[in-house]
Amino acid sequence: MVSEFMLQQTPVSRVLQPWQQWIERWPTPTALAEAPSGEAVRAWGRLGYPRRALRLHRAATAIRDDHDGHVPDDYAALRALPGVGDYTAAAIASFAFGQRHIVLDTNVRRVQTRIALGVEFPHTSATAAERVLAEDFLPSRAERAAAWAVASMELGALVCTARTPDCDVCPVRTECSWHRAGRPSWDGPPRVGQRYHGTDRQCRGALLSVLRSADAPVAEDELLVAWPDQRQAERARDTLLADGLMIMDADGCSLPR
DNA sequence: AAAGCGTGGAG
DNA sequence: TCTCCAAGCTT
């Protein structure tokens, strides 16, 4: 569950070390729940999207309070936890508990779009048609389905990659519509990339970085100078406060205690 | 339902 | 450099 949270939009290579330290420090949901949420944010380090750390902490609290300290094996119960969407609930139920679920992440979406539709990339958001397709691929026996979920994800992550797929070593090369069609390049609408430089996201990151490395509360002025644009820094401060990623009191600004 | 939310590595 | 992208979720 910890690794799934960390892997939401962060590459495996960057997750390995923080995951190891996290698990050593908080081996159980209850152990995490007992720590201040700010410590979870600090241990999150530079994985990005630090609200995930907060959600993982809240999920751990819910598991301690409502599930006797054990990660539930039921899809609906998992899905109800903060920070757990369709993908993460299915991934935990499948990988950890061997159940049969559609595990539809960006890798699997790309793999099945290429194999079955002969198209290089799936559309921006997962459609109902994609879930039907995924259901068609999914073996009926739970054990086989769980193996398929891992296998199709790995295929997408290691072989059928977005930029430079290695079709030469692909085990389903001969059954792939996209490969048979000569790997036609994407001709759909241009896919919009997210800007980062100079955005509020970068600004929030800069402020939070100060709080992460501080071992005592930081004066507000000292925090705001971490970003050149004061108006933007104030806005970031406000949203960080609203998100619960920082607190501000008479002592100054800090991660939540 | 489209937009916001971090960060760093590869090409 | 700069663009793209990496095991999504929430509002």
Side-chain angles (χ1 to χ4, degrees):
Chain A
M1 179 168 173
V2 171
S3 70
E4 287 303 338
F5 268 71
M6 291 182 168
L7 288 164
Q8 293 168 357
Q9 298 282 279
T10 303
V12 176
S13 60
R14 289 177 46 208
V15 162
L16 296 176
Q17 193 171 334
W19 177 84
Q20 186 69 45
Q21 293 175 349
W22 188 287
I23 290 298
E24 283 169 15
R25 183 171 179 184
W26 298 302
T28 65
T30 301
L32 175 58
E34 249 126 58
S37 62
E39 281 310 295
V41 174
R42 196 190 304 276
W44 198 255
R46 306 189 65 78
L47 287 176
Y49 294 139
R51 292 190 293 190
R52 290 180 294 167
L54 242 30
R55 292 179 187 139
L56 180 54
H57 183 269
R58 282 204 291 136
T61 302
I63 290 171
R64 179 196 61 189
D65 295 344
D66 306 334
H67 299 284
D68 206 23
H70 299 291
V71 177
D73 63 1
D74 175 63
Y75 177 89
L78 286 164
R79 184 65 180 79
L81 295 170
V84 177
D86 288 336
Y87 162 76
T88 303
I92 295 171
S94 178
F95 302 156
F97 298 111
Q99 297 170 17
R100 182 181 186 275
H101 292 282
I102 295 172
V103 183
L104 201 54
D105 79 324
T106 185
N107 290 303
V108 176
R109 294 184 61 218
R110 185 174 55 250
V111 165
Q112 68 175 27
T113 298
R114 287 177 180 172
I115 293 178
L117 276 36
V119 175
E120 187 176 18
F121 297 118
H123 289 97
T124 313
S125 53
T127 63
E130 278 186 66
R131 298 195 72 80
V132 171
L133 188 54
E135 174 66 35
D136 287 343
F137 273 110
L138 197 66
S140 38
R141 275 183 51 223
E143 194 175 62
R144 299 277 298 170
W148 163 254
V150 186
S152 55
M153 275 183 66
E154 287 299 292
L155 185 64
L158 303 179
V159 177
C160 192
T161 58
R163 302 246 215 148
T164 52
D166 191 2
C167 297
D168 291 344
V169 304
C170 181
V172 293
R173 175 180 63 255
T174 58
E175 302 162 73
C176 176
S177 308
W178 185 60
H179 184 257
R180 276 200 307 252
R183 298 169 52 165
S185 47
W186 175 250
D187 65 344
R191 300 173 303 142
V192 291
Q194 301 226 353
R195 289 280 100 74
Y196 179 61
H197 189 76
T199 61
D200 286 2
R201 285 207 334 274
Q202 187 182 22
C203 180
R204 284 164 55 102
L207 299 194
L208 206 56
S209 173
V210 172
L211 299 183
R212 251 192 267 109
S213 54
D215 48 5
V218 176
E220 189 181 356
D221 292 346
E222 200 178 324
L223 179 67
L224 296 179
V225 295
W227 189 256
D229 181 338
Q230 285 314 280
R231 192 171 311 268
Q232 190 175 20
E234 288 167 15
R235 190 164 64 234
R237 170 205 61 198
D238 291 343
T239 63
L240 287 172
L241 285 167
D243 286 347
L245 282 165
M246 67 171 269
I247 60 171
M248 202 163 61
D249 58 23
D251 296 330
C253 308
S254 63
L255 297 176
R257 289 189 280 269

